[in-house]
RNA sequence: GGUACCAUGGCCGAGUGGCUAGGCAGCGGUCUGCAAAACCGUGUACAGCAGUUCGACUCUGCUUGGUACCUCCA
């Protein structure tokens, strides 16, 4: 369909690169999912929708994609100090619930929100807690290769040792010396040799409610006099470090090397940096070919984040129940809003911007409906091929959805002009146009028409049609008192009446 | 403090060394009993200063302002 190939921006090289999968037609895609200890918010929607677009587009291009998006349900600490709390354990303690109750509750809330945003479920959605064994195996390998050390039952990654051979910080552009100088050291509390070391396994205090027994035996670097490697072993009741889960699960489901790893830009350091280090330390090679990072959503120019307390949950957005919101915004409005900005730009939230997105999307969807009503002519005065090319060129250019959408809007004007008889379209071009809009709008951008599915059943629809036909009669008889009364009453009941050339339209608003 | 990034018309938001992105709002028009809706048309903006260039919003330097990461965050 297109001559141009898909290029994607690789964070590693900071350049757009042509996308070539390792084992075509298969593509392995891993994206960092949520830590399920709170309601999903607008920030969660961005990576989900960004990588949903990628997922959908790769499939459109004919690739067979295995998309893995994890659920973090253990190991994500409140802070990096040794006394750091596990987020889920903490929430569980506060609410007097089993940690897995918290996990279950928020996982379902997340999935439901993603569903309403028309985000397709990933192929595999693994949980960290279900992969403790894999994570312990990984720790063992890293210990045997000499890039980790054991202190008081906890295991830490030895960044300094790793840096002698490999470049720690290459993804985020950080230099070890800077890290050394600038990392906060919480005085004396730490078992770590260096403040920038990170935990692979944390020994848990007895009151810690989420912990697993790890029995780790490994060949240490030390040797007996006869040359045999000394074996060491220890048992520790604890839990895995946050960064470990993604390394373990991506390797398990996508292999030691795979194509694309995505996530929010805020995860670049330290999370993804640590992930690279863990994979290299364990297997001697980097796992990921292309790193993709979406930018943040801002609110009044400031990052929206859980820790900043300025986030809006998706439910609040859908229902309009937040002091910053002037109205409710439908899931599709949110989706369209996010797609109207490029995924690597920050996107500023405002009521005005969301309202603009809402109206724009309605215009686009209306035109897609109009497309089905168009009458073909002998020839075309509009260039569908050019439109199509511009649209796919944009998508191929690092998923430039805002440009693709702007091209679609050019087409909207053409569609409306044909409808008004100002332009003409041939039967073949009309088919091509329909195919283009259906595949780009519905399949790739994943926009669906929400209007039709609101709770109005057939009886209601028939009744409203009946009443409006009475009004139409009244109008024909110039009985405007009656016609206005009907319109006003329907408006009061929430039915928006729109007069058209040959009759009326209505919708429940 | 260190390291990045950004600065575009009323708002959101693309992009480029010379040729109008797009959406929303506004304005003008078509339609209409009125209104609404819908549709059509319409806007030369690119933080400031200096430099490179035939030509810069786009390249370079400086200034100012802002943001992010360095601690958990999508």
């Amino acid at each position: 369909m297109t001559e141009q190939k898909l290029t994607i921006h690789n964070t590693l090289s900071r350049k757009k690169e042509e996308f070539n999968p390792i084992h075509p037609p298969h593509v392995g895609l891993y994206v960092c999912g949520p830590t399920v200890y709170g309601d999903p918010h607008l920030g969660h929607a961005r990576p989900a929708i960004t990588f949903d677009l990628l997922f959908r587009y790769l499939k459109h291009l004919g690739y067979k994609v295995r998309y893995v998006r994890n659920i973090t349900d253990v190991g994500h600490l409140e802070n990096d100090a040794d006394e750091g709390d596990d987020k889920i354990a903490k929430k569980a303690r506060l609410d007097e619930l089993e940690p897995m109750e918290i996990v279950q509750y928020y996982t379902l809330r997340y999935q439901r929100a993603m569903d309403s945003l028309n985000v397709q479920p990933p192929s595999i959605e693994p949980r960290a807690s279900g992969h403790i064994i894999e994570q312990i195996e990984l720790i063992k390998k890293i210990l045997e290769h000499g890039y980790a050390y054991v202190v008081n039952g906890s295991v830490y990654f030895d960044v300094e040792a790793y840096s002698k051979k490999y470049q720690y910080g290459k993804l985020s552009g950080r230099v070890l010396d800077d890290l050394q100088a600038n990392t906060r050291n919480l005085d004396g509390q730490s078992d770590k040799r260096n403040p920038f070391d990170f935990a692979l396994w944390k020994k848990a205090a007895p009151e810690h409610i989420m912990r697993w027994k790890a029995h780790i035996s490994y060949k240490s670097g030390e040797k007996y006099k006869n040359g045999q490697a000394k074996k060491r072993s220890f048992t520790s009741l604890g839990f895995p470090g946050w960064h470990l889960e993604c390394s373990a699960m991506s390797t398990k489901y996508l292999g030691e090397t795979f194509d694309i790893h995505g996530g929010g830009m805020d995860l670049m350091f330290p999370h993804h940096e640590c992930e690279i280090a863990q994979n290299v330390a364990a297997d001697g090679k980097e796992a990921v070919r292309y790193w993709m990072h979406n930018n943040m959503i801002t609110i009044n120019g400031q990052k929206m984040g859980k820790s900043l307390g300025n986030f809006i949950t998706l439910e609040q957005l859908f229902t309009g129940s937040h002091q910053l919101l002037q109205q409710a915004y439908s899931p599709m409005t949110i989706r369209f809003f996010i797609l109207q900005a490029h995924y690597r730009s920050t996107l500023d939230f405002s009521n005005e911007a969301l309202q603009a997105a809402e109206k724009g999307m309605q215009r686009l969807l209306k035109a897609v409906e109009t497309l089905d009503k168009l009458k073909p002519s002998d020839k075309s005065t509009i260039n569908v091929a050019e439109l199509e090319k511009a649209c796919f060129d944009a998508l191929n250019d690092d998923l430039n959805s805002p440009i693709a959408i702007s091209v679609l809007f050019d087409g909207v004007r053409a569609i409306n002009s044909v409808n008004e008889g100002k332009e003409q379209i041939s039967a073949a071009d009309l088919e091509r146009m329909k195919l283009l809009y259906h595949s780009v709008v519905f399949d790739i951008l994943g926009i669906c028409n929400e209007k039709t599915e609101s709770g109005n059943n057939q009886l209601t629809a028939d009744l409203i049609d009946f009443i409006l036909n009475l009004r139409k009669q009244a109008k024909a008889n110039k009985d405007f008192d009656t016609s206005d009364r009907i319109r006003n009453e329907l408006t009061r009941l929430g039915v928006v009446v729109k007069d058209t050339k040959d009759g009326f339209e209505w919708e429940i608003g």
Side-chain angles (χ1 to χ4, degrees):
Chain A
M1 192 173 227
T2 46
E3 324 80 63
Q4 202 198 320
K5 284 215 65 174
L6 173 64
T7 59
I8 57 182
H9 179 91
N10 191 344
T11 310
L12 272 174
S13 64
R14 278 153 219 276
K15 285 195 190 99
K16 287 181 198 169
E17 297 176 12
E18 193 172 280
F19 176 66
N20 291 304
I22 301 166
H23 304 294
H26 298 280
V27 173
L29 169 64
Y30 188 93
V31 175
C32 291
T35 302
V36 281
Y37 67 114
D39 255 343
H41 55 83
L42 187 52
H44 287 104
R46 187 111 198 242
I49 288 170
T50 297
F51 293 105
D52 187 50
L53 172 64
L54 178 66
F55 185 36
R56 285 164 178 271
Y57 191 51
L58 287 170
K59 285 193 288 187
H60 172 88
L61 292 176
Y63 291 115
K64 297 193 186 327
V65 188
R66 182 179 291 164
Y67 177 16
V68 181
R69 189 183 62 208
N70 67 297
I71 297 281
T72 297
D73 60 353
V74 68
H76 201 161
L77 301 182
E78 289 269 301
N79 63 59
D80 208 21
D82 276 355
E83 68 277 19
D85 251 326
D86 183 289
K87 288 185 170 184
I88 293 174
K90 184 182 175 190
K91 180 93 181 164
R93 248 194 341 269
L94 288 173
D95 295 355
E96 294 186 326
L97 292 168
E98 271 297 318
M100 282 302 142
E101 282 185 281
I102 307 281
V103 167
Q104 178 73 2
Y105 179 78
Y106 287 114
T107 300
L108 287 174
R109 306 263 296 169
Y110 177 78
Q111 287 168 336
R112 207 172 301 144
M114 290 307 118
D115 205 44
S116 57
L117 288 168
N118 206 22
V119 168
Q120 294 183 337
S123 325
I124 304 174
E125 200 164 24
R127 289 182 181 187
S129 66
H131 298 76
I132 302 292
I133 291 168
E134 288 83 352
Q135 296 183 70
I136 291 173
E137 283 305 305
L138 198 55
I139 294 172
K140 200 169 142 183
K141 271 169 128 179
I142 297 172
L143 276 169
E144 290 195 339
H145 294 167
Y147 296 116
Y149 54 91
V150 185
V151 181
N152 293 332
S154 292
V155 186
Y156 294 97
F157 191 92
D158 190 340
V159 173
E160 202 164 52
Y162 177 82
S163 292
K164 289 195 176 123
K165 191 161 172 197
Y166 305 104
Q167 189 191 344
Y168 180 79
K170 61 184 290 189
L171 182 68
S172 56
R174 249 155 260 256
V175 185
L176 195 61
D177 290 346
D178 294 339
L179 285 170
Q180 194 127 31
N182 292 302
T183 310
R184 262 198 317 189
N185 201 351
L186 294 132
D187 18 279
Q189 289 282 341
S190 185
D191 288 335
K192 292 192 272 187
R193 287 183 194 162
N194 280 302
F196 45 69
D197 289 344
F198 55 92
L200 298 175
W201 185 264
K202 298 279 280 189
K203 185 184 179 179
E207 63 271 20
H208 200 99
I209 43 183
M210 270 204 295
R211 47 186 192 160
W212 289 262
K213 193 180 205 173
H215 182 74
I216 301 180
S217 65
Y218 63 101
K219 293 192 203 100
S220 77
E222 305 153 281
K223 299 211 161 136
Y224 291 111
K225 279 182 186 151
N226 65 7
Q228 265 205 317
K230 259 191 195 173
K231 276 205 171 179
R232 290 186 168 275
S233 70
F234 68 97
T235 302
S236 168
L237 217 49
F239 56 92
W242 173 41
H243 311 304
L244 204 56
E245 57 168 292
C246 291
S247 288
M249 294 189 288
S250 64
T251 304
K252 171 157 181 170
Y253 297 111
L254 299 172
E256 286 185 4
T257 58
F258 62 96
D259 298 298
I260 305 172
H261 192 310
M265 246 162 126
D266 50 340
L267 297 178
M268 220 154 82
F269 189 91
H271 186 56
H272 292 156
E273 207 70 75
C274 296
E275 229 181 294
I276 292 176
Q278 287 165 162
N279 281 102
V280 172
D283 298 320
K285 61 188 172 194
E286 280 184 37
V288 179
R289 289 279 290 272
Y290 304 89
W291 282 93
M292 290 176 78
H293 290 97
N294 63 274
N295 215 317
M296 303 290 105
I297 285 181
T298 58
I299 183 158
N300 296 324
Q302 227 199 355
K303 191 175 92 166
M304 175 180 300
K306 185 122 203 162
S307 56
L308 295 167
N310 65 348
F311 66 98
I312 304 175
T313 69
L314 289 169
E315 192 176 287
Q316 286 169 332
L317 236 10
F318 300 161
T319 57
S321 58
H322 188 284
Q323 52 169 3
L324 285 168
L325 300 173
Q326 289 167 5
Q327 60 169 89
Y329 299 98
S330 75
M332 275 311 115
T333 301
I334 306 298
R335 185 173 179 110
F336 193 74
F337 172 65
I338 287 174
L339 290 172
Q340 263 196 314
H342 186 85
Y343 74 91
R344 282 190 289 113
S345 304
T346 56
L347 173 58
D348 199 50
F349 162 90
S350 71
N351 282 286
E352 252 184 315
L354 276 169
Q355 283 157 11
E358 184 175 44
K359 291 199 173 156
M361 182 180 67
Q362 277 162 5
R363 191 163 116 89
L364 177 62
L365 287 173
K366 176 115 187 175
V368 178
E369 277 174 27
T370 306
L371 206 45
D372 288 328
K373 292 186 272 181
L374 290 187
K375 305 232 169 11
S377 311
D378 297 339
K379 60 182 177 62
S380 286
T381 54
I382 59 174
N383 193 338
V384 180
E386 198 173 274
L387 215 61
E388 185 181 278
K389 183 176 186 306
C391 199
F392 285 103
D393 280 353
L395 289 170
N396 282 329
D397 184 15
D398 192 28
L399 297 178
N400 200 327
S401 53
I403 292 283
I405 289 171
S406 82
V407 172
L408 291 174
F409 274 113
D410 287 339
V412 166
R413 204 173 313 110
I415 290 166
N416 289 332
S417 297
V418 172
N419 195 34
E420 305 241 316
K422 289 180 187 166
E423 303 269 4
Q424 295 176 313
I425 190 166
S426 70
D429 274 350
L430 182 57
E431 279 316 300
R432 193 170 179 180
M433 193 83 160
K434 280 184 193 173
L435 192 69
L436 174 68
Y437 273 72
H438 282 256
S439 91
V440 175
V441 176
F442 301 136
D443 300 341
I444 297 173
L445 297 178
I447 304 294
C448 59
N449 205 334
E450 297 168 308
K451 238 183 14 197
T452 44
E453 65 201 38
S454 58
N456 44 312
N457 56 35
Q458 195 55 44
L459 177 64
T460 316
D462 289 348
L463 281 172
I464 295 174
D465 279 342
F466 174 70
I467 294 165
L468 283 176
N469 272 313
L470 288 178
R471 173 167 176 270
K472 195 175 161 188
Q473 253 175 23
K475 273 173 65 179
N477 298 334
K478 306 226 182 277
D479 179 3
F480 299 124
D481 280 349
T482 305
S483 78
D484 285 352
R485 217 175 76 215
I486 291 172
R487 186 173 63 196
N488 292 340
E489 187 61 15
L490 283 175
T491 305
R492 201 181 63 79
L493 293 170
V495 180
V496 181
V497 180
K498 298 173 188 174
D499 288 343
T500 59
K501 275 195 278 294
D502 32 286
F504 53 80
E505 282 175 9
W506 58 269
E507 64 185 35
I508 295 177

